[in-house]
Amino acid sequence: MALTPFQQQLRDRVLDAEVTAPPEPWRPVGRGMVPVGGLLGIGFATDPGTGHDLVLVVSSSGHGLFDAVTGEKLEREYDPEEDPDGPDLSCPGLGPVADLRIPVAGLWGGGLHTSADGWEVEVVAPEWPHHRVLLVGGAAPAWKGTHGETWWHVFDSSWSTFRAAGFSPSGRTLAVATSSDLTLWSRA
């Protein structure tokens, strides 16, 4: 099935856009990309002590909990009792959120928040199976604005399999998860 001229224009627009850092107020967390072999999914919680967003990472070798402001690994469970289960695909938390069940998005399905306070995330695959993550600021969708001004191509999953992308419930953290890594950006 051939693309319409409009569809071809959209595809070309995304393919021509270079990966670029998100604009202010977004900043990379830690060293940027955190290697996580066999990453299956991620979910968010809030640290009851600091108020920071936390990221629960589910991988083939266990579960890990990261501070989404500092990038620090807070907890690690090598042999968790369960993987995401139930209608909300949740699993038990770790450390400061051990008493919570955390919904997870990734290989099993589910999803993260795609909009937060004037920002949106769009995931596109013009060269499937490689996904691109676009951060959109303002009211205009990516196909109407200018790359680097109203939308930013912030991630290209050309080296591993895309799992999930989206915001924390607070909207202060943007995460992209692939089968090999976790990338986080934060804003004050």
Side-chain angles (χ1 to χ4, degrees):
M1 176 181 207
L3 297 175
T4 67
F6 178 71
Q7 291 169 328
Q8 185 64 49
Q9 174 192 5
L10 291 178
R11 182 178 186 276
D12 292 344
R13 184 179 179 117
V14 171
L15 289 174
D16 290 344
E18 295 290 324
V19 174
T20 185
E24 289 291 330
W26 296 101
R27 63 168 184 74
V29 173
R31 288 184 241 126
M33 189 178 299
V34 177
V36 181
L39 190 150
L40 302 170
I42 63 170
F44 285 102
T46 302
D47 187 316
T50 65
H52 288 185
D53 286 338
L54 302 175
V55 182
L56 177 70
V57 176
V58 177
S59 75
S60 57
S61 62
H63 297 177
L65 188 69
F66 293 84
D67 184 309
V69 174
T70 65
E72 176 186 4
K73 186 188 317 179
L74 302 174
E75 297 285 336
R76 181 79 165 97
E77 174 66 46
Y78 289 96
D79 191 21
E81 292 183 23
E82 61 181 282
D83 281 329
D85 190 23
D88 62 352
L89 295 173
S90 66
C91 59
L94 301 172
V97 291
D99 59 333
L100 300 178
R101 291 196 61 81
I102 300 173
V104 174
L107 183 64
W108 302 280
L112 301 174
H113 295 266
T114 57
S115 64
D117 191 28
W119 296 95
E120 292 187 17
V121 169
E122 294 188 26
V123 179
V124 296
E127 292 181 309
W128 189 87
H130 306 298
H131 292 75
R132 287 170 165 79
V133 178
L134 311 179
L135 177 63
V136 182
W143 57 90
K144 289 191 177 182
T146 303
H147 180 255
E149 292 179 18
T150 58
W151 66 278
W152 297 263
H153 175 196
V154 297
F155 194 90
D156 188 341
S157 69
S158 60
W159 61 88
S160 57
T161 306
F162 175 81
R163 295 289 190 237
F167 297 105
S168 62
S170 73
R172 295 184 312 246
T173 302
L174 171 60
V176 178
T178 71
S179 58
S180 64
D181 47 69
L182 171 67
T183 304
L184 300 171
W185 296 271
S186 180
R187 64 182 175 135

